[in-house]
Structure formats: C-alpha cells, structure tokens
Amino acid sequence: MAHTLRIEPLGQSLEVPEDQTVLEACLRAGLWLPHACCHGLCATCKVRVSDGEVDHGEASPFALMDFEREEGLTLACCARLQSDATIEAEIEDDPDAESIPVRDVDAVCSLSEAVTPTIRRIRLQLEQPLPFQAGQYVNLEVPDPAGGPPLRRAFSIANPPHEVTATREIELHVRRVPGGAATGWLHGQLRPGMGLRLAGPYGRFFVRGSAHGPAASGGVPLLFIAGGSGLASPRAMVLELLQRGCPQPITLVVGQRTREELYDDDLLRDLATRHPHFRYLPVLSHEPEGSGWDGARGWAHEAAVALHDGDFRGRKAYLCGPPAMVEAAIGALMQGRLFERDIHTEQFLSAADAQRVRSPVFRRV
C-alpha cells in the first residue's frame, strides 16, 4: 500500500508506493533531494525521519551507523516507508533547476556505432517525450546476461534538449567497462531495432545561467573539462549554449589517452571555427611520440592550467569524467583561486567508488 510522505522544509507531500524508495518517489514527483551513489554507501542522501517509520533497506552500516538510525536518520536512496512519515532534508534552492518529474520511457535503438576502441555511440528513438536539462542523465535498463532482473546503468544524454525535442532521439556514449555485464551487452549485443526502457531525467549537472552576470567580456567565462565518455554531458551543454546564442566565452578541454580514443574531434573543431567565442582544446595523455600529433599532451587539468596561466578567478567550471580526473581538476581549480560555488561536477559512482573517503572541503563534490 502507498503511504504519505511530507518533506520539510518544502512543506510538500506526496504518495509513496510500497515498491519505491523515498528518493525515487521524490524524483518521480519532481522533488529533488541531495544524492550521489544511490547504493546506500556515500551518505549524501541522509535525511532525518521526524515522524513515522521507515525500513532502512540496504544502507551500509558505515554510511548510516547504528546510533544514527536510533536518532531517526536514514538514507533516502534505500529507505522505504512503513507508515505515513515526515522527513527533514537539507535542500538548497537552485533558481536554474527545472522541476522535471522522472518518468519511464520506452525506446528503440536506431544507431550503435564504435567511435573509439572502448566507446560506442548509441542513439535511441523515444516513444514518449523526455524533457530534460542539458547535462542530465538517464538510467537505462539492460538485460542481465545471467538471466536475472534488468540491470540499470546511468548514462549522460549527449545531445542537447532542442535536438531531442525535434527528433525525439537521444544519444548516449557508452564506455565498455572491463568485466561489466551491462556495458558488455550494450557493446556486443545491442542492435538497431531492439527495444529498451529507460527512466529520467536525473542529476543536477547543468549550466547555472542565473550566476552568469554581465562582465566586460560579455559574460562570465565558462570552462568545461571532460575526460573519456564524460564528454557526453559537456557536449550537450555546449551545443545547447551555442544554439541559444550564449554570449559568454566558452572553453572546452577534452582529455583522452590517445588519438584513436579522441572522438567528435571534427565536430568540436568545426564549432570552434564557426563560433569565435568557443575555444576547444583536445589533450592526449598517452599518445606515442612521433605519431604526428601536434596538439597538447598531458592531462586535461594540466592543459587547463597552462591555457589560463594558472588563474581561474572569475570563471564557472563544469567537470565531467572519471573520478580521478575530476578530483585532479578540482585541485587545480582551487589552486587557481576558484572555489566550490563556482565548480560543478558530474561523476558516476560505482559501489567501489562510493566507499572511498570523499573530500571534506566540498559538500557537493
């Protein structure tokens, strides 16, 4: 049976089906709660139950200790209501966040092509509209090769909202994870014409337009740093900004290992040619010497430092990629006098990632 959940300090209530966690029910109602790993391991979604009863589910005893449970705390991503309840959550108001309820959408694969030895471009024709903000992601249901329940994996939407609205087709960039059942199936078994199901949009990774006040240059400069298939979100964000005629200077630094792993390079170079305020810098960390590559070498954060002479003040930064890349970029930005309010990140956390100690400097990172 469903129970009624009241969320404070929002003062809003919703019905929570018994098969949904507190977090999932809130997101499906268009109400955002802080969260990250969704595995009950990182404690980002910790809330206080001020009234009612919950089942803590599979919350890790390290993320939610016994004394915290006794004090009425729970993890929203694992908690299921046992009665009508009220929770208290730390919810930051974000004027740029659109209230878009999470929805289930059926789709048919229209394209699956290798763009690097480890990344495939997958396009899915949606059978229902899917509103979202550039930078958000979907959870894709993938058949379990072992015959179990469908596997759910998160992938950023790589094309911008205006394109999805026109074509009702979303693009995903899927990196094959060694030994990964879901990405292995997507790389090896998915073919055009096959049906899939997804849910979304999820995430709070999007351009904060209200923070980009006027400046002598025409607006606050925007810096995007991406690595691997983490290019997907910045790609959508940049394409949306350019389509809207964004006047701010935009810089995109893309880090890959070798030239064969550098994808959508022609597209981004063409955009930089056609839009003088957009600067694109690809950088390769493991390209063999003597290969003919005359571009930047090293790590993405190092290239960003060199490009801006180590001074990032007055900018807004958006980072997306492997956790190690994001952490290195955060360190470089902070050394260059850019701090939490001006840095936004997206990184998908596996169960192993979520158990790592997170930086005490950032609440959001």
Side-chain angles (χ1 to χ4, degrees):
M1 65 180 284
H3 295 291
T4 300
L5 175 68
R6 183 174 177 84
I7 303 101
E8 298 292 356
L10 296 179
Q12 295 182 256
S13 299
L14 67 148
E15 293 298 304
V16 181
E18 61 182 354
D19 64 342
Q20 290 182 7
T21 65
V22 167
L23 177 62
E24 183 69 10
C26 287
L27 295 177
R28 287 182 176 275
L31 300 175
W32 184 82
L33 295 181
H35 63 280
C37 77
C38 296
H39 298 304
L41 295 166
C42 72
T44 302
C45 65
K46 192 175 294 181
V47 297
R48 181 175 299 279
V49 182
S50 57
D51 185 55
E53 301 293 330
V54 302
D55 179 345
H56 297 292
E58 299 180 356
S60 163
F62 299 101
L64 186 68
M65 298 184 180
D66 289 342
F67 77 88
E68 292 179 306
R69 300 172 193 233
E70 294 172 1
E71 292 177 353
L73 298 177
T74 194
L75 301 185
C77 73
C78 295
R80 298 179 188 272
L81 298 189
Q82 302 298 296
S83 69
D84 293 347
T86 299
I87 62 170
E88 299 173 2
E90 294 186 21
I91 302 175
E92 298 179 2
D93 182 44
D94 192 327
D96 295 299
E98 297 179 17
S99 180
I100 307 175
V102 169
R103 64 190 68 188
D104 297 310
V105 177
D106 294 314
V108 175
C109 176
S110 56
L111 174 71
S112 178
E113 66 175 6
V115 292
T116 80
T118 60
I119 297 174
R120 293 192 77 82
R121 187 193 317 277
I122 293 174
R123 295 187 72 92
L124 301 175
Q125 189 72 46
L126 305 176
E127 297 189 4
Q128 301 90 27
L130 181 66
F132 69 99
Q133 291 182 264
Q136 291 189 294
Y137 66 92
V138 297
N139 278 332
L140 187 65
E141 288 190 3
V142 177
D144 181 0
L151 306 173
R152 292 177 175 83
R153 297 294 185 268
F155 298 103
S156 295
I157 303 173
N159 49 340
H162 71 269
E163 180 182 309
V164 175
T165 299
T167 65
R168 198 174 286 185
E169 190 175 56
I170 64 169
E171 179 172 316
L172 310 177
H173 298 167
V174 179
R175 181 180 68 87
R176 184 163 194 164
V177 177
T183 60
W185 187 90
L186 289 168
H187 273 246
Q189 305 299 321
L190 181 64
R191 297 290 184 272
M194 297 176 66
L196 292 171
R197 191 170 178 81
L198 56 89
Y202 292 98
R204 299 279 274 193
F205 190 55
F206 47 80
V207 175
R208 269 64 178 181
S210 63
H212 302 160
S217 62
V220 174
L222 309 180
L223 171 62
F224 296 86
I225 303 178
S229 60
L231 172 61
S233 287
R235 179 188 189 274
M237 296 159 89
V238 168
L239 287 172
E240 185 76 357
L241 288 167
L242 295 178
Q243 190 271 340
R244 290 182 178 179
C246 167
Q248 287 101 321
I250 303 170
T251 298
L252 171 62
V253 179
V254 176
Q256 302 290 9
R257 290 174 55 86
T258 63
R259 188 156 41 170
E260 68 175 353
E261 295 176 353
L262 185 65
Y263 70 99
D264 279 355
D265 184 60
D266 290 342
L267 167 69
L268 296 170
R269 290 181 186 275
D270 179 63
L271 288 173
T273 299
R274 292 190 288 113
H275 299 275
H277 66 300
F278 171 57
R279 178 165 50 180
Y280 164 59
L281 176 62
V283 54
L284 305 180
S285 61
H286 291 72
E287 179 68 9
E289 294 294 337
S291 67
W293 172 255
D294 59 359
R297 293 175 179 267
W299 302 106
H301 67 281
E302 296 172 339
V305 170
L307 191 64
H308 296 94
D309 295 324
D311 186 353
F312 297 103
R313 287 176 293 182
R315 301 178 185 279
K316 300 289 182 181
Y318 298 87
L319 319 175
C320 190
M325 186 223 80
V326 171
E327 291 172 3
I330 289 171
L333 292 170
M334 292 183 68
Q335 289 180 10
R337 307 292 292 173
L338 198 66
F339 301 107
E340 181 179 8
R341 68 180 181 275
D342 297 319
I343 301 174
H344 303 278
T345 71
E346 182 71 288
Q347 53 183 335
F348 296 124
L349 299 174
S350 66
D353 292 328
Q355 294 182 71
R356 297 178 305 135
V357 177
R358 302 174 76 196
S359 170
V361 177
F362 283 93
R363 295 179 62 234
R364 293 186 289 100
V365 176

